[in-house]
Amino acid sequence: MDDHPDRFDDRAPAADYSPFVSDYLLYLLAAASHAASEQFHGQVRECGLKIAEWRVLACLVEQDGQMITRLAQFALYEQSRLTRIIEKMEERGLVSRRPDAADRRRVRVHLTDPGRTVALDLVGKARDHEAALMARLDENARGGLKSSLKALIRHLGADVCGPD
């Protein structure tokens, strides 16, 4: 008997035990995202960008002139924090903020020419990285992966980058 009750018990699990973490959807999603993103995020950092900045640029390439609230959803940051990030991006000449044509109280974020150049370069690198990742999967897994994830996102009431 172990006389240190606070020590981890490394005995074999009971016969009716079933794995949790190694088969838990949220862990699997997070682990896959982390592992898949890490290599590409290195390329983002080599360009002198933070991950949130990359996400903003990528969203603006797809749909320029987004509102900060929309960009915050996509960048996975709270709006006040992303506002500060966008201010720094504006100081560096990557984006500009302009009043909305329909409602001058609202502000939209637009790519500048230098920002578009950086964004398009990284989008190309991201597509190459994605193709290399997908090539590691068999055809059946490749075919359903994105559609399954998009369906899950929709069912959870979340949103993806695009027109607002």
Side-chain angles (χ1 to χ4, degrees), residues 69-83:
T69 52
R70 186 86 163 121
L71 290 170
Q73 290 172 334
F74 177 70
L76 306 174
Y77 276 81
E78 66 178 37
Q79 184 177 338
S80 63
R81 189 167 177 209
L82 190 67
T83 297

Side-chain angles (χ1 to χ4, degrees), residues 3 6 12 29 32 44 48 84 92 97 118 129 154 159-160:
D3 45 331
D6 59 336
L29 289 170
V44 170
R84 289 189 295 276
R92 291 173 38 216
R97 292 180 291 172
V118 170
H129 182 256
R154 271 193 317 277
D159 207 354
V160 294

Side-chain angles (χ1 to χ4, degrees), residues 11-55:
R11 292 176 291 179
D16 63 346
Y17 170 81
S18 64
F20 175 67
V21 173
S22 62
D23 198 41
Y24 181 49
L25 177 63
L26 299 182
Y27 167 76
L28 294 171
L29 289 170
S33 176
H34 178 76
S37 299
E38 198 52 36
Q39 293 171 339
F40 178 69
H41 287 172
Q43 293 181 51
V44 170
R45 288 186 286 272
E46 285 174 10
C47 290
L49 296 174
K50 295 178 176 157
I51 303 312
E53 293 172 329
W54 150 244
R55 291 176 181 162

